[in-house]
Amino acid sequence: IDLAYCVGQGYDGCSAMSALSDSCDIRAIQNTIGTIKETYKFVRSSSVRTQLFEELAHESNEKRKIVISENIAPSSTQISENKTIELKCRKVKLANFCPTRWVDRHVAIETFSTLFPAVIELLTNLMQSKDKNVSTRSNLLYGGISSSEFLCSLPILNKILSFTINVSLSIKDRFNEHVKKAAAISSIIPQYIADKIYDDLAPAIEIYQNFLPGSISQIKSEFLLWKPTATVTMKRKETTVLPDTAIDAYIECNEVFYPNIKILLKIFGTLPVTTATTERTFSVLKLLKNYLRSTVSETRLNGLAMMYVYRDIHIEVDSVIDEFSKSNRRLVL
């Protein structure tokens, strides 16, 4: 593969990115991460346990604030540290340990370390539960997080990740800036080009200029010619719906008159997409299909999922009533 023709990269969820989650060969660190994951799943799998944990976290944070206010004298050099401590004391929920996003991993470790007293108190209370499964699970997790191996590994892991968080954030910001510039190609899509100017497209030209045969002046001229062509000429056809995707616009674009626009549309259509609507449905099911809705029918579940995924689509209530009135309803008296 010639990397000179690489126009974008996508890593979200792929095997190369997943391998990073097991990059540490130290068994104690791997066990600590596994214990944190299992504790998070155990707490979040029940709304009762989640609510109880939030209450305990609030109490623990209030106690921490009192201890800090009594033992730390206010001074100008400690203002930033006190603000950091205050932000940590606001946390009442455990964070999910994401296997592919390093920044989320930092947050998960730091949050667990901050809320560690509340986790201990929660598991201690649940060990007295009448539910045998909950009691057994709590006992196992309590033994795991109270072991000397875990107590030594957690602060070490938290300290090491505190050094790498800035690197992770800088890398994330760098790629976010690249994504914003690449997304500027959407300015030449006929559906959205009406209120666009060449300056909206300029960031993308800065990245992909080596792929384009024309100069900056030629690209600008093509844009000025493409804009009225995309908005006026295409409307004269049988359909008045303008192309709203890169693929549709690529098909409509004439390469003879717009060679640079054609290549930009080709690049935009081949950019890797790491987040799709189909992936979103799996995340939605975790929210909708909980133990309170264990008997929900497939039709109702599909309807709830569609409403959540496409919640940005405006629905006219009157049209829904009219559609519902057309169906034959047999009322059982």
Side-chain angles (χ1 to χ4, degrees), residues 111-165:
T111 303
F112 191 92
S113 179
T114 303
L115 299 177
F116 185 75
V119 175
I120 289 290
E121 190 171 357
L122 174 70
L123 295 178
T124 303
N125 295 339
L126 292 179
M127 283 191 294
Q128 309 300 325
S129 174
K130 297 180 180 179
D131 191 328
K132 184 178 180 180
N133 294 330
V134 174
S135 177
T136 303
R137 187 65 175 165
S138 303
N139 197 5
L140 291 174
L141 292 175
Y142 180 85
I145 66 175
S146 61
S147 64
S148 58
E149 180 184 272
F150 185 90
L151 295 176
C152 293
S153 300
L154 180 61
I156 294 174
L157 185 61
N158 189 31
K159 188 67 175 179
I160 293 175
L161 292 180
S162 65
F163 292 118
T164 59
I165 180 65

Side-chain angles (χ1 to χ4, degrees), residues 30 32 43 60 98 129 173 181 183 188-189 191 247 271:
Q30 292 180 354
T32 300
V43 175
S60 177
C98 184
S129 174
D173 294 338
K181 291 182 178 180
I188 61 177
I189 303 297
Q191 184 73 27
I247 303 299
L271 285 176

Side-chain angles (χ1 to χ4, degrees), residues 72-308:
I72 299 180
S75 62
S76 58
T77 58
Q78 295 177 337
I79 294 178
S80 59
E81 296 181 2
N82 291 340
K83 289 182 178 180
T84 303
I85 295 173
E86 184 179 355
L87 290 175
K88 290 183 178 180
C89 291
R90 295 179 182 178
K91 296 180 178 181
V92 294
K93 294 181 180 180
L94 294 176
N96 189 15
F97 194 93
C98 184
T100 58
R101 293 180 176 87
W102 282 92
V103 176
D104 293 342
R105 179 180 303 188
H106 289 84
V107 174
I109 296 296
E110 182 183 7
T111 303
F112 191 92
S113 179
T114 303
L115 299 177
F116 185 75
V119 175
I120 289 290
E121 190 171 357
L122 174 70
L123 295 178
T124 303
N125 295 339
L126 292 179
M127 283 191 294
Q128 309 300 325
S129 174
K130 297 180 180 179
D131 191 328
K132 184 178 180 180
N133 294 330
V134 174
S135 177
T136 303
R137 187 65 175 165
S138 303
N139 197 5
L140 291 174
L141 292 175
Y142 180 85
I145 66 175
S146 61
S147 64
S148 58
E149 180 184 272
F150 185 90
L151 295 176
C152 293
S153 300
L154 180 61
I156 294 174
L157 185 61
N158 189 31
K159 188 67 175 179
I160 293 175
L161 292 180
S162 65
F163 292 118
T164 59
I165 180 65
N166 293 329
V167 178
S168 300
L169 290 174
S170 62
I171 294 175
K172 181 180 179 181
D173 294 338
R174 185 184 70 180
F175 280 104
N176 286 341
E177 186 66 24
H178 183 88
V179 170
K180 290 179 181 178
K181 291 182 178 180
I185 306 180
S186 62
S187 302
I188 61 177
I189 303 297
Q191 184 73 27
Y192 315 109
I193 199 175
D195 58 345
K196 302 295 182 181
I197 59 177
Y198 176 77
D199 292 340
D200 297 325
L201 181 63
I205 303 299
E206 179 184 347
I207 301 177
Y208 300 114
Q209 187 175 359
N210 295 332
F211 295 93
L212 305 177
S215 61
I216 297 295
S217 59
Q218 291 175 342
I219 298 172
K220 186 173 182 179
S221 300
E222 282 189 25
F223 176 82
L224 296 177
L225 291 174
W226 169 253
K227 182 175 181 178
T229 302
T231 55
V232 179
T233 306
M234 292 182 183
K235 282 186 176 181
R236 294 176 182 174
K237 297 183 179 182
E238 296 179 358
T239 175
T240 58
V241 179
L242 295 175
D244 58 351
T245 64
I247 303 299
D248 294 338
Y250 178 82
I251 296 173
E252 296 289 340
C253 182
N254 191 328
E255 187 175 3
V256 177
F257 297 102
Y258 311 103
N260 295 287
I261 298 295
K262 188 81 170 181
I263 293 177
L264 286 173
L265 290 171
K266 184 177 182 180
I267 292 174
F268 195 49
T270 55
L271 285 176
V273 180
T274 59
T275 301
T277 305
T278 52
E279 294 180 356
R280 212 175 301 155
T281 57
F282 296 102
S283 301
V284 172
L285 288 177
K286 295 180 181 179
L287 300 174
L288 299 179
K289 190 68 173 180
N290 54 29
Y291 77 100
L292 295 176
R293 301 190 182 99
S294 58
T295 59
V296 66
S297 63
E298 182 178 355
T299 304
R300 182 175 177 82
L301 182 62
N302 291 338
L304 293 173
M306 293 289 286
M307 290 175 62
Y308 186 88

